[in-house]
Amino acid sequence: MRNKAALSGNLRVVLWATVIAAAGSLLAGLCGIGLARALPAGGGTAPLPVYTSLSLAAEDEPLLPVWQRYDPEQVTETGAGETYMDLAWIYDSMFWPMGIYDAQVETPEGPLAFQMLAAEDMFACYLPDYPLPGTLMLTNLYSGRMVEQTGVRMDLAFGQDSTGMQISLRLRFPDEAAARDSQLDQAAELVQSWLSGFLGGTRDTLLGISAEGWYSLTEGASFGLLERLQERPIPELSLDPSPDARLQQLCDERMLDAQIIRLENEVLLTLTDRYGSGMLCLYYDARLCCVSGVAIQMI
């Protein structure tokens, strides 16, 4: 795995060793991602329905288990030197796969002050509502050009529980005006078209994220869903001309379930493996036409 120095010894052992030990078990109670503007308190939620569906409403936004368990009253602040993850590591290992880059000449150094949850059934680290310094360069997927953005807030979490290893990163742009319905319509069409092209073998990336990018996001670890998405042999079937029906055919061929959910300012894409090996989730900001978040749940 890359950049192991980014995590403390205790954190690496608890999170990554548990992933390896659990490799033979199925992913139970699989849920999707979501960190809304108001952070949720701990508590259980129903598993994500298994079906391919498009244009769902914001109230259908699922929640990754690591964020289900977040409660400001149950976490503790990490002391100096307890974790060694800094902004340079986040920019290098998590931002660049999403097409996001730091516009500063030098990235601020020093460990970030995470909040930590150490419960009997979960170990997790949180960095909620973190103000990113300076300017970010975002990739506009329509034009391919870079867009400068300041005042960005980041919600980051990673952890391990009985459902597997979870990583969640989401950017928010509070200074931007709310998305118009026309922008959300255009965003949903782009996400659906890109997903169909990726599953059908006519695109090499999923919303701009390459195979190397996914492995960077998972620190070099692989799991069944990720491996199958990289292989994606071209199916020998006649595809329906209807975009919705075509995507359903491709998902059935790949044994995947996809959801495209319209949120307040974003479109959320979730891909779930019907074999139970994990889930990939991508946020696409309808105003800035860029990937604004990613979440992964894996064994």
Side-chain angles (χ1 to χ4, degrees), residues 152-172:
V152 182
R153 315 287 292 197
M154 176 179 68
D155 299 308
L156 174 63
F158 52 92
Q160 172 74 39
D161 67 1
S162 61
T163 67
M165 178 68 185
Q166 303 158 39
I167 305 168
S168 171
L169 185 150
R170 187 174 181 182
L171 301 181
R172 292 180 289 107

Side-chain angles (χ1 to χ4, degrees), residues 147-197:
V147 178
E148 293 187 1
Q149 191 70 27
T150 58
V152 182
R153 315 287 292 197
M154 176 179 68
D155 299 308
L156 174 63
F158 52 92
Q160 172 74 39
D161 67 1
S162 61
T163 67
M165 178 68 185
Q166 303 158 39
I167 305 168
S168 171
L169 185 150
R170 187 174 181 182
L171 301 181
R172 292 180 289 107
F173 312 101
D175 295 335
E176 291 292 313
R180 303 185 301 273
D181 289 341
S182 59
Q183 290 176 311
L184 289 169
D185 291 341
Q186 188 181 48
E189 290 176 2
L190 180 139
V191 170
Q192 182 175 347
S193 174
W194 203 302
L195 177 59
S196 293

Side-chain angles (χ1 to χ4, degrees), residues 3-283:
N3 293 331
K4 286 192 176 180
L7 300 177
S8 68
N10 177 56
L11 189 58
R12 284 201 307 273
V13 170
V14 173
L15 298 184
W16 293 109
T18 307
V19 170
I20 296 172
S25 64
L26 291 177
L27 195 61
L30 190 61
C31 299
I33 177 175
L35 177 62
R37 291 182 182 276
L39 291 171
T45 62
L48 187 69
V50 178
Y51 58 92
T52 296
S53 56
L54 306 176
S55 300
L56 298 178
E59 56 266 23
D60 296 303
E61 181 182 6
L63 197 65
L64 199 68
V66 68
W67 279 118
Q68 291 180 20
R69 294 294 304 275
Y70 179 78
D71 185 341
E73 296 182 357
Q74 296 182 0
V75 296
T76 58
E77 301 288 339
T78 59
E82 286 189 47
T83 60
Y84 298 93
M85 184 181 292
D86 57 14
L87 282 178
W89 184 89
I90 293 174
Y91 288 145
D92 179 60
S93 298
M94 305 192 76
F95 278 9
W96 79 259
M98 300 164 55
I100 300 172
Y101 306 94
D102 182 17
Q104 278 61 245
V105 176
E106 294 185 3
T107 302
E109 298 181 355
L112 296 170
F114 280 85
Q115 298 175 7
M116 189 174 296
L117 173 67
E120 183 176 334
D121 57 345
M122 172 172 277
F123 187 88
C125 288
Y126 301 94
L127 194 65
D129 198 30
Y130 181 82
L132 291 169
T135 303
L136 291 183
M137 303 295 294
L138 311 173
T139 302
N140 184 305
L141 294 184
Y142 273 106
S143 66
R145 298 177 179 177
M146 304 304 298
V147 178
E148 293 187 1
Q149 191 70 27
T150 58
V152 182
R153 315 287 292 197
M154 176 179 68
D155 299 308
L156 174 63
F158 52 92
Q160 172 74 39
D161 67 1
S162 61
T163 67
M165 178 68 185
Q166 303 158 39
I167 305 168
S168 171
L169 185 150
R170 187 174 181 182
L171 301 181
R172 292 180 289 107
F173 312 101
D175 295 335
E176 291 292 313
R180 303 185 301 273
D181 289 341
S182 59
Q183 290 176 311
L184 289 169
D185 291 341
Q186 188 181 48
E189 290 176 2
L190 180 139
V191 170
Q192 182 175 347
S193 174
W194 203 302
L195 177 59
S196 293
F198 178 74
L199 295 179
T202 60
R203 285 187 179 272
D204 295 328
T205 67
L206 181 57
L207 293 181
I209 300 183
S210 65
E212 294 78 8
W214 285 113
Y215 286 116
S216 176
L217 287 164
T218 60
E219 277 287 274
S222 182
F223 60 109
L225 175 57
L226 183 55
E227 292 175 350
R228 287 170 44 235
L229 285 177
Q230 303 314 322
E231 295 171 358
R232 348 187 284 290
I234 298 176
E236 296 180 0
L237 73 160
S238 177
L239 294 177
D240 195 287
S242 166
D244 291 4
R246 180 166 61 250
L247 180 55
Q248 183 68 64
Q249 283 181 285
L250 291 167
C251 286
D252 290 341
E253 180 74 14
R254 309 292 185 220
M255 292 299 291
L256 300 172
D257 289 299
Q259 292 190 11
I260 297 176
I261 306 173
R262 297 170 188 239
L263 305 177
E264 182 180 359
N265 296 308
E266 302 155 298
V267 168
L268 169 61
L269 167 65
T270 71
L271 283 178
T272 307
D273 182 12
R274 294 180 188 175
Y275 294 124
S277 73
M279 172 180 279
L280 300 178
C281 305
L282 284 171
Y283 283 95

